[in-house]
Amino acid sequence: MSDSKKMFSLEGKGLKLTTAEDVEPHIADLRANDVEEVHLLGNSLGIEACKVLGEVLATKKNLKVANLADIFTARLLSEIPDALSHLLTSILNLPNLHTINVNDNAFGLNTQAPLVAFLAAHVPLQHLYLNNNGLGPHAGILIADALSELHAKKEAARKEGKTVPDLETVICGRNRLENGSMTAWAKTYSLHNKIRVIKMVQNGIRQEGISHLISEGLKHTADLEVLDLQDNTFTLRGSKALAAVAPSWASLRELAVGDCLLGGKGSVLVAGALAQGRNAKLETIRLQFNDITPPGVKGFADAAKKLPALKRIELNGNKFEEDDESVAVLQELLDERKEAVGGDVINEDEWGVDELDELEGIDSDEEDEDEDEDEDVTPEERAEKLVKEAEEAQEEPTVQLEDKNVDDLAKKLAETGI
């Protein structure tokens, strides 16, 4: 079979497919070929259309990738559970389906149940893309708990002698997960400890949640290659947690903690951790807009000498001058490496120091941020606070759907065997 016949795509066609009659003219190739990838993103799919698509997808035993991103634009909230259930029920038992992309669909708490049931049961899952779905902390807990349940099912299948892949990728950004769901996510990552890529950007996670996520969850992920927690809040507490755990990630290639308020002291701690030289594969560090001061820049310049694979460091938007001596040291070191190992074709965006055009400079009158926050609070009290936030998240009100009870849909999906 040619590669073109292995992939079926309606990507970006902007189709509004509501009925069976609407969808049929577009899926002849899907019916005819034993496809390995299906890309439906960028269209608007109704309940009946999803039912037809689901019936066809259920027959594709070699399907590996299902891209269902952005498929409910202009659909009513009440339509999404049924439509999503038709699709996910159909692909639940496909033995080779390892990648699911449901980015840019407005699930939230009211429409997440079919997805939660699917994630808890689809043993072949390796790569999950769940970005910009409006989950909130309560739905975030349900998703994380589903992935923890998935781990148990993977382990049970292994005990039966089956070959089962590890969960390797979780992309779950722009979902307002907040502190309330971090206990659940930490548990998930402590279980799925072979994971390689984690991206949880812009989730409104504060320092208590970040610290718990890293200290209780990510510290177990020894094979981690990419960690992106940009646009959450670390402060000194989160920085301490990161500094304590980062040296254990020997396979780490990218560390992205830009716009995380590491602060002056926190950045020095993180730099010192990297300077231990235990992250020999680290290529990229993203540190923009973190209130990093000259001692922090010097710390990263010193660390770079102990990071032989380092190619790129991003420092724009911090609190030092562009002519800082440490910037010159970094640039010279990375230029030398680019010349030595960059090869004939070089992507300049992958090398050197980023453009420093939004530096704040040093304010001699500005006191260092209050980075000893809650130093008198015990770990038990911090844990209790997170538990309380998790309980509050789970009390988040939901909108009752008139068309179909979401719990019934989840039950129906969960009863589908694997």
Side-chain angles (χ1 to χ4, degrees):
M1 184 186 298
S2 68
D3 289 342
S4 62
K5 292 185 178 180
K6 290 182 179 180
M7 184 177 76
F8 173 80
S9 179
L10 296 177
E11 180 174 351
K13 291 184 179 293
L15 303 171
K16 187 168 185 179
L17 308 176
T18 302
T19 66
E21 290 75 18
D22 291 337
V23 77
E24 279 296 345
H26 301 281
I27 61 172
D29 287 344
L30 179 61
R31 288 188 180 279
N33 297 306
D34 186 19
V35 298
E36 296 181 0
E37 296 187 22
V38 169
H39 298 264
L40 303 179
L41 65 160
N43 298 286
S44 179
L45 307 180
I47 295 172
E48 196 175 332
C50 286
K51 182 179 180 181
V52 173
L53 283 165
E55 290 169 351
V56 179
L57 290 175
T59 68
K60 307 303 177 184
K61 300 303 181 184
N62 290 315
L63 189 66
K64 298 178 180 178
V65 176
N67 191 329
L68 311 178
D70 189 21
I71 58 172
F72 296 125
T73 299
R75 295 293 168 180
L76 297 175
L77 183 67
S78 57
E79 292 181 80
I80 296 176
D82 272 333
L84 187 61
S85 183
H86 284 311
L87 291 173
L88 296 181
T89 302
S90 72
I91 62 178
L92 178 62
N93 290 321
L94 299 182
N96 298 302
L97 180 60
H98 55 65
T99 300
I100 296 291
N101 186 332
V102 287
N103 291 348
D104 304 318
N105 289 305
F107 294 144
L109 185 55
N110 303 303
T111 56
Q112 45 65 39
L115 178 62
V116 165
F118 175 85
L119 293 178
H122 188 62
V123 173
L125 184 65
Q126 286 179 269
H127 309 288
L128 173 62
Y129 296 83
L130 184 63
N131 203 65
N132 189 33
N133 302 105
L135 293 178
H138 187 171
I141 291 171
L142 297 176
I143 294 292
D145 286 348
L147 291 175
S148 293
E149 187 176 342
L150 174 66
H151 179 267
K153 287 189 170 65
K154 284 178 178 282
E155 288 298 295
R158 290 186 179 109
K159 289 179 180 178
E160 295 173 0
K162 298 178 181 177
T163 301
V164 176
D166 294 308
L167 182 65
E168 295 184 10
T169 303
V170 171
I171 312 297
C172 190
R174 299 186 66 193
N175 269 311
R176 199 170 57 83
L177 298 178
E178 300 179 0
N179 278 8
S181 69
M182 286 304 102
T183 300
W185 280 101
K187 178 184 176 182
T188 294
Y189 290 134
S190 72
L191 295 171
H192 292 285
N193 54 22
K194 301 296 184 183
I195 197 161
R196 297 180 183 277
V197 177
I198 295 174
K199 295 186 178 184
M200 301 180 74
V201 305
Q202 202 177 53
N203 271 309
I205 310 168
R206 300 190 305 279
Q207 56 266 33
E208 303 90 352
I210 285 290
S211 178
H212 187 84
L213 178 69
I214 295 172
S215 300
E216 301 300 324
L218 301 185
K219 76 172 182 181
H220 300 284
T221 59
D223 297 331
L224 193 63
E225 296 179 5
V226 176
L227 178 62
D228 191 345
L229 295 175
Q230 292 184 101
D231 202 5
N232 292 291
T233 302
F234 276 59
T235 71
L236 182 60
R237 182 181 304 159
S239 300
K240 285 180 177 179
L242 180 60
V245 175
S248 68
W249 297 325
S251 298
L252 193 67
R253 294 185 291 104
E254 178 178 340
L255 177 62
V257 288
D259 201 12
C260 285
L261 198 61
L262 298 183
K265 294 178 182 178
S267 62
V268 169
L269 289 177
V270 174
L274 297 179
Q276 294 178 30
R278 295 166 61 186
N279 305 100
K281 297 181 181 180
L282 186 59
E283 298 178 356
T284 303
I285 310 174
R286 305 192 193 280
L287 297 160
Q288 294 185 341
F289 300 96
N290 265 314
D291 287 353
I292 297 173
T293 55
V297 184
K298 184 180 186 305
F300 286 109
D302 292 339
K305 300 169 186 176
K306 303 291 183 65
L307 300 170
L310 189 66
K311 298 161 55 176
R312 173 79 168 178
I313 185 166
E314 297 180 357
L315 289 165
N316 196 24
N318 285 296
K319 294 184 174 181
F320 58 87
E321 302 295 342
E322 188 173 359
D323 59 0
D324 189 292
E325 182 180 350
S326 297
V327 175
V329 170
L330 276 167
Q331 191 64 66
E332 182 178 356
L333 175 66
L334 299 178
D335 283 347
E336 289 175 357
R337 288 181 183 170
K338 180 174 66 172
E339 184 70 23
V341 301
D344 295 331
V345 180
I346 294 176
N347 182 346
E348 295 294 340
D349 291 337
E350 296 178 355
W351 287 92
V353 179
D354 59 328
E355 185 177 359
L356 302 177
D357 58 348
E358 295 184 63
L359 294 175
E360 294 186 32
I362 305 167
D363 187 345
S364 59
D365 296 326
E366 182 178 317
E367 293 185 6
D368 200 7
E369 68 274 14
D370 181 12
E371 295 184 282
D372 293 322
E373 72 272 322
D374 297 342
E375 283 299 311
D376 295 330
V377 179
T378 67
E380 290 77 13
E381 289 172 325
R382 290 173 185 162
E384 185 178 341
K385 181 178 180 181
L386 279 179
V387 170
K388 182 178 180 181
E389 294 196 34
E391 290 172 347
E392 291 173 351
Q394 291 178 82
E395 293 172 0
E396 192 175 356
T398 64
V399 177
Q400 288 295 317
L401 301 181
E402 297 178 0
D403 290 9
K404 197 81 170 178
N405 187 290
V406 171
D407 291 333
D408 288 344
L409 282 171
K411 183 178 179 181
K412 179 177 70 175
L413 185 56
E415 289 172 349
T416 304
I418 186 71

